[in-house]
Amino acid sequence: MRRVAVIGVGDTKFGELWDASFRDIGIKAGLAAVEDANISAEKIDALFVGNMSAGRFIEQEHIGALIADYAGLAKDHIPATRVEAAGASGGLALRQGYMAIASGLHDIVVVGGAEKMMDVSDVASAFIQSSAADQEWETELGATFPSLHALIARRHMHEHGTTREQLADVAVKNHRHGSMNPKAQFQKEITRDTVLGSLMVSSPLRMFDCAPSSDGAAAVVLCPLDLAKNYTETPVEIVGSGQASDTLALHHRRDIMTFDATRVAAERAFKMAGVTQKDVDVAEVHDNFTISEILAIEDLGFFKKGEGGKATEDGRTSLDGDVAVNTSGGLKARGDPIGATGLAQAVEIVTQLRGKADKRQVKDASVGLTHNVGGTGATAVVHVFRRV
Amino acid sequence: MATAPRFWRQNPSRYNMVGIRCNSCGRNFFPPRAICPVCHRKSVGKMELVKYKGEGRIYSFTEVHDGLDERASLKPYVVAMVELEEGPKVTAQVIDCDPCTVEIGTKVRAVLRKLSEEGDAGVIHYGYKFVPVKEK
Ligand SMILES: [Zn+2]
């Protein structure tokens, strides 16, 4: 297998991008990544696009060819593939690009992710997001996507003593990080009271426990590590890639307070990378709800099961903590345009490992991790990155 | 919206809490599935439909304030994960209760109720919800 490097990254601002279409944002992120990698379009061998539900958000399927076309690549007839795994679509697309280069099939691959969520009503958007869960045996019986995470939160609080305030601390930290990220959807700091006083969504989770709906796109350019120095002074190697699946419905899990898919994907990625949790300086994890970040930092192995809330409260996941978690602001503050999220995580980690994260820079960051989840943990993708 | 045949296929389990038992390992699954995920090929021909009692206890619960249609949003409703006596867990609404009295461990029983309706004159879908059971 060949070693793989990221040589370019690009993204759009996340948020309500009323004046831009799906194709506009997809191309903007892709062009920024290609520009950053300093490659010409003819060099691109293949394109992968992470996208959850363009068919329902903008009534457009066939996203692979669409993006290749508007990127001006139709005449080159490159293979263009859409990848879908609900919230993990972006991370999974990155893994497809990684495998395409590692296998020797392609040399230069662009991986993008995009979602345009704000063209539909809030109720329609909630319906679409709920299709990441089991439609027949969860949603149709009354469960919403936030409510399934509320079931996890309630049980985690019941068994492990995680407090309502500790959940709020996840949002407070991620908004603080987001305030230092000019691309973030929310750049204002909040307090515990902001979270605890916000509207109830699904008890015990309130509005500020939930990541927002967003428009946005992000992209990276990959190539074999031994070619990377031809394009950039600061390549970042992808040293581990792990993917795992689990039951679609939350109620079929061995334990609803653990995402086994995260645990297994992380084990696979760490083993491949030859590093451990202690080596990781900075991690972008899937905090679509505050409880999700607590689960993530436990299941990735940074903290013991049941200790994620306390670790957050104690600041161990802050910018200057044991491991800096969600320096971009995470899904919570940077925004969560579903298919783009896995790529936005990679963009942040590469930026950190290049030492270019400005005010939110983690000192001497050399190893980073991304963690992207689909549904309530039925898919998880973990990547480990290292500064070359 | 789901088509009528989709609901029709689910009806035996939706109406009567019919699950399936693997007679190779004795485990129960709900809804029924063709193969036991523990025994794999050994379970072929040994999966038997079983009508569950429909009783269990609340494993976790939430009060939903942002239901998936405008009407539901007006009035919070309770969704719970229920651990059935036969072993499997299911997700469903808990009704006929003051949300304040629902707790982890509360005993509940399945009842057949309307789940949803397609439009004002559309097909009505029925399925299980749970009601609290008084314990002696
Ligand atoms: Zn069996």
Side-chain angles (χ1 to χ4, degrees):
Chain A
M1 251 182 24
R2 298 197 294 180
R3 294 167 70 176
V4 179
V6 182
I7 54 169
V9 297
D11 55 9
T12 67
K13 189 176 185 307
F14 284 4
E16 304 188 358
L17 309 177
W18 302 111
D19 55 345
S21 71
F22 181 85
R23 5 191 136 183
D24 293 339
I25 57 175
I27 301 313
K28 194 171 178 192
L31 276 180
V34 165
E35 190 117 319
D36 185 44
N38 200 22
I39 54 165
S40 56
E42 303 78 56
K43 288 262 188 192
I44 300 170
D45 294 320
L47 172 71
F48 292 92
V49 183
N51 172 261
M52 172 177 167
S53 201
R56 293 178 73 191
F57 281 121
I58 59 165
E59 296 181 11
Q60 175 71 61
E61 307 287 14
H62 215 166
I63 295 308
L66 169 77
I67 297 293
D69 177 9
Y70 279 76
L73 299 170
K75 66 179 187 326
D76 301 303
H77 309 296
I78 62 162
T81 309
R82 171 186 173 174
V83 180
E84 190 275 318
S89 300
L92 206 48
L94 177 62
R95 186 171 149 85
Q96 300 306 308
Y98 169 85
M99 294 194 296
I101 290 174
S103 70
L105 196 62
H106 296 305
D107 279 339
I108 304 278
V109 171
V110 176
V111 185
E115 208 81 51
K116 182 82 185 155
M117 301 172 71
M118 309 303 274
D119 283 3
V120 300
S121 71
D122 289 348
V123 172
S125 181
F127 255 115
I128 296 167
Q129 291 177 61
S130 75
S131 66
D134 189 331
Q135 285 291 87
E136 295 193 4
W137 300 101
E138 292 180 320
T139 310
E140 282 172 8
L141 290 147
T144 59
F145 198 53
S147 74
L148 294 167
H149 292 82
L151 295 175
I152 298 171
R154 173 96 57 196
R155 190 76 200 182
H156 203 280
M157 292 163 87
H158 177 76
E159 278 196 36
H160 297 300
T162 302
T163 66
R164 194 32 281 203
E165 287 74 18
Q166 290 168 346
L167 293 175
D169 288 344
V170 172
V172 171
K173 168 184 70 72
N174 290 349
H175 274 260
R176 186 167 67 244
H177 292 173
S179 74
M180 294 178 264
N181 181 0
K183 295 277 181 65
Q185 183 163 350
F186 301 121
Q187 297 175 29
K188 276 211 187 92
E189 291 204 45
I190 58 168
T191 64
R192 270 187 179 178
D193 288 343
T194 319
V195 184
L196 301 179
S198 63
L199 278 178
M200 189 63 86
V201 171
S202 196
S203 64
L205 300 181
R206 294 174 178 272
M207 189 183 279
F208 272 79
D209 289 295
C210 312
S213 289
S214 320
D215 300 333
V220 301
V221 182
L222 308 177
C223 83
L225 180 65
D226 54 14
L227 299 181
K229 286 282 185 186
N230 298 343
Y231 302 102
T232 175
E233 295 290 301
T234 53
V236 169
E237 185 179 357
I238 300 179
V239 288
S241 175
Q243 178 189 345
S245 60
D246 205 340
T247 65
L248 185 62
L250 183 67
H251 53 236
H252 286 146
R253 299 287 162 71
R254 176 185 67 81
D255 167 15
I256 70 165
M257 293 164 296
T258 301
F259 284 176
D260 278 336
T262 294
R263 206 173 45 74
V264 172
E267 275 168 16
R268 290 172 180 161
F270 276 122
K271 187 172 176 222
M272 194 171 173
V275 301
T276 71
Q277 285 80 352
K278 286 195 169 53
D279 299 310
V280 176
D281 302 300
V282 54
E284 288 284 302
V285 310
H286 201 90
D287 62 321
N288 54 345
F289 297 91
T290 48
I291 183 65
S292 313
E293 179 165 319
I294 304 282
L295 255 59
I297 59 178
E298 294 171 350
D299 299 338
L300 290 166
F302 291 119
F303 302 98
K304 287 205 191 87
K305 182 51 64 185
E307 295 178 5
K310 181 77 166 57
T312 305
E313 184 177 18
D314 293 346
R316 297 177 65 188
T317 54
S318 295
L319 213 48
D320 53 357
D322 307 11
V323 53
V325 174
N326 284 330
T327 54
S328 70
L331 282 61
K332 177 70 197 78
R334 185 201 57 233
D336 181 21
I338 309 171
T341 287
L343 274 308
Q345 294 177 326
V347 171
E348 175 68 9
I349 293 301
V350 169
T351 305
Q352 286 282 354
L353 299 184
R354 285 173 172 178
K356 299 283 187 201
D358 297 325
K359 279 190 278 184
R360 62 182 196 283
Q361 179 65 45
V362 175
K363 202 162 161 280
D364 301 324
S366 68
V367 176
L369 175 147
T370 58
H371 163 251
N372 199 195
V373 171
T376 51
T379 297
V381 188
V382 173
H383 283 99
V384 180
F385 301 73
R386 187 155 52 196
R387 195 175 60 201
V388 176
Chain B
M1 266 295 156
T3 60
R6 170 159 150 188
F7 279 92
W8 182 80
R9 286 193 302 271
Q10 298 160 352
N11 282 349
S13 291
R14 282 271 174 83
Y15 288 7
N16 299 316
M17 301 237 58
V18 170
I20 203 156
R21 184 172 61 227
C22 167
N23 284 326
S24 170
C25 70
R27 284 182 176 84
N28 270 289
F29 302 97
F30 185 92
R33 44 177 71 212
I35 291 172
C36 171
V38 180
C39 304
H40 302 291
R41 277 179 61 200
K42 272 197 295 180
S43 66
V44 174
K46 292 181 180 162
M47 303 297 279
E48 185 188 348
L49 290 170
V50 186
K51 185 173 170 3
Y52 292 164
K53 281 169 70 184
E55 288 181 5
R57 289 186 186 277
I58 290 181
Y59 184 77
S60 191
F61 69 96
T62 176
E63 195 180 66
V64 181
H65 291 249
D66 69 332
L68 288 175
D69 68 42
E70 307 290 359
R71 282 164 301 176
S73 306
L74 295 176
K75 195 174 166 218
Y77 60 93
V78 175
V79 165
M81 190 176 292
V82 173
E83 187 166 20
L84 299 172
E85 275 187 18
E86 290 83 358
K89 293 192 187 82
V90 297
T91 302
Q93 287 187 48
V94 180
I95 54 168
D96 297 346
C97 66
D98 176 346
C100 306
T101 65
V102 174
E103 285 176 6
I104 287 177
T106 299
K107 191 171 186 190
V108 290
R109 173 173 58 82
V111 292
L112 187 65
R113 289 289 186 276
K114 185 171 100 173
L115 291 179
S116 62
E117 198 170 333
E118 293 181 21
D120 287 337
V123 187
I124 297 174
H125 301 297
Y126 293 91
Y128 51 84
K129 294 183 181 181
F130 287 85
V131 294
V133 177
K134 276 225 176 67
E135 294 193 76
K136 287 163 213 128

